[in-house]
Amino acid sequence: MSAHGRMPRSAWIFPGLAVLLFVVATGLGVDFTPSVGGLLFASLLLAILFGTVFAAVHHAEVIAERIGEPYGVLLLTLAVTIIEVALIATIMLGEKPQPALARDTVFAVVMIVCNGLVGLCIFIGGLRYREQDFQVTGANLYLSVLFVLATITLIMPNYSLTTQGPNYSALQLAFVSVVTLVLYAVFVYTQTVRHRDYFINQDEGEAGESRLSNLMLAVSVALLILCLLAVVLLAKKFSYS
């Protein structure tokens, strides 16, 4: 979905439905129950959530095309991260806490993205474009950071002897948190300042050439914020109990 075309109806219908569903459910005290009606309601909720997530990605893509690379990728990453963290956190902090859920979910995301999603994109791209170009240096930097973060957060806790189980102690957790933030800060600096050419397609240039008007840009920003807020509110209200 390009910024050059008209905004699809789903990009504003689903956020509106999500807000309407939240308001109605809150006002009427509607909640999920294990029944036929509850399953139908859950199906409706899931469809609206999926539509709202895709609408958020569309608006993030429109804004990213306007601001250009590499900041567009950071915006898309931030939008998807907010949605994922909100969904995980609401389940973890429910009436039946599941502290291992975040780790298992992130592990699954890393495996799905690095194998299934990347492979699917390469396959579909090969069918459509026959030959594809990509920045090897940028991909190597992405993978280097990903491997380090995945190792220290998902694998090393299994070998920690300070506490029982696959957990870090408070001191170890603080150290890993600082290392993670510093590593990501260095990555963002490299991506946006030091070696931004690693992440830019030289044929397209650094800045986006979108014809998107300022009005439509403002609408996309507002709808993106609305989408993210709607997903967070719905996930919090109808999280597992």
Side-chain angles (χ1 to χ4, degrees), residues 103-178:
R103 179 185 174 190
D104 296 341
T105 302
V106 173
F107 215 146
V109 169
V110 171
M111 291 189 294
I112 292 172
V113 170
C114 291
N115 295 279
L117 188 59
V118 172
L120 185 62
C121 290
I122 293 175
F123 177 73
I124 296 177
L127 292 178
R128 181 171 181 178
Y129 301 106
R130 303 302 178 187
E131 185 177 354
Q132 301 177 87
D133 296 328
F134 62 94
Q135 297 289 89
V136 177
T137 49
N140 287 338
L141 185 57
Y142 267 120
L143 292 176
S144 299
V145 174
L146 180 61
F147 288 160
V148 175
L149 291 178
T151 300
I152 63 176
T153 57
L154 302 176
I155 298 176
M156 287 185 62
N158 292 323
Y159 301 95
S160 175
L161 302 178
T162 306
T163 57
Q164 185 178 6
N167 299 309
Y168 280 131
S169 65
L171 183 60
Q172 290 172 330
L173 189 59
F175 174 76
V176 170
S177 300
V178 172

Side-chain angles (χ1 to χ4, degrees), residues 14-209:
F14 278 106
L17 290 176
V19 173
L20 179 62
L21 178 62
F22 176 79
V23 172
V24 172
T26 302
L28 300 179
V30 178
D31 203 352
F32 173 76
T33 55
S35 61
V36 176
L39 292 176
L40 293 176
F41 177 76
S43 300
L44 175 63
L45 172 64
L46 187 62
I48 293 178
L49 269 178
F50 267 104
T52 306
V53 169
F54 279 108
V57 173
H58 166 74
H59 293 299
E61 182 183 1
V62 168
I63 300 170
E65 188 174 347
R66 174 66 180 270
I67 63 179
E69 298 296 346
Y71 303 104
V73 173
L74 290 176
L75 176 64
L76 286 166
T77 302
L78 179 62
V80 174
T81 301
I82 291 175
I83 293 173
E84 184 175 359
V85 170
L87 294 175
I88 296 174
T90 51
I91 298 175
M92 288 180 60
L93 303 177
E95 296 181 3
K96 296 179 181 179
Q98 302 182 44
L101 179 66
R103 179 185 174 190
D104 296 341
T105 302
V106 173
F107 215 146
V109 169
V110 171
M111 291 189 294
I112 292 172
V113 170
C114 291
N115 295 279
L117 188 59
V118 172
L120 185 62
C121 290
I122 293 175
F123 177 73
I124 296 177
L127 292 178
R128 181 171 181 178
Y129 301 106
R130 303 302 178 187
E131 185 177 354
Q132 301 177 87
D133 296 328
F134 62 94
Q135 297 289 89
V136 177
T137 49
N140 287 338
L141 185 57
Y142 267 120
L143 292 176
S144 299
V145 174
L146 180 61
F147 288 160
V148 175
L149 291 178
T151 300
I152 63 176
T153 57
L154 302 176
I155 298 176
M156 287 185 62
N158 292 323
Y159 301 95
S160 175
L161 302 178
T162 306
T163 57
Q164 185 178 6
N167 299 309
Y168 280 131
S169 65
L171 183 60
Q172 290 172 330
L173 189 59
F175 174 76
V176 170
S177 300
V178 172
V179 170
T180 301
L181 291 174
V182 171
L183 183 61
Y184 186 70
V186 172
F187 171 74
V188 172
Y189 172 77
T190 303
Q191 183 182 16
T192 58
V193 180
R194 186 67 178 87
H195 294 292
R196 60 182 303 175
D197 55 302
Y198 289 177
F199 305 90
I200 296 174
N201 189 333
Q202 299 300 329
D203 295 332
E204 296 180 359
E206 295 188 6
E209 299 179 356

